[in-house]
Amino acid sequence: IVVTGVSEKVIEDNVKAIGSKFGSSVSKNTDILVAKSVTENSTKLQKARELNKTLAKPILIISLDDFIAQTSI
């Protein structure tokens, strides 16, 4: 899981709860990108969108609010 626009500390418990770990940059090995807002124009979001054009298993781009709602303990 890679995070953009927000501190990893905000979702640390949620990430642990689903048995995942943090990455620092977006790559073809990234499964999930959590963004403060999916409409922002960060470098990480741009890269994920570009990679998604060619990846067989696209990177899930999800808003912070949706991620927290779906992974609440």
Side-chain angles (χ1 to χ4, degrees):
I1 294 178
V2 176
V3 179
T4 184
V6 67
S7 169
E8 292 176 357
K9 292 260 184 227
V10 173
I11 61 170
E12 187 173 15
D13 291 339
N14 300 70
V15 171
K16 287 179 183 175
I18 62 171
S20 195
K21 61 182 178 178
F22 288 109
S24 57
S25 62
V26 174
S27 73
K28 65 180 182 177
N29 298 319
T30 302
D31 292 318
I32 301 171
L33 174 62
V34 178
K36 183 175 184 180
S37 167
V38 295
T39 59
E40 68 185 49
N41 202 22
S42 74
T43 305
K44 290 177 182 177
L45 273 167
Q46 289 174 357
K47 185 166 184 178
R49 289 182 182 124
E50 192 62 33
L51 284 170
N52 278 351
K53 294 177 183 177
T54 59
L55 291 175
K57 181 182 172 224
I59 299 166
L60 173 62
I61 299 172
I62 188 169
S63 73
L64 173 64
D65 291 339
D66 287 343
F67 181 78
I68 290 172
Q70 292 180 24
T71 60
S72 289
I73 334 173

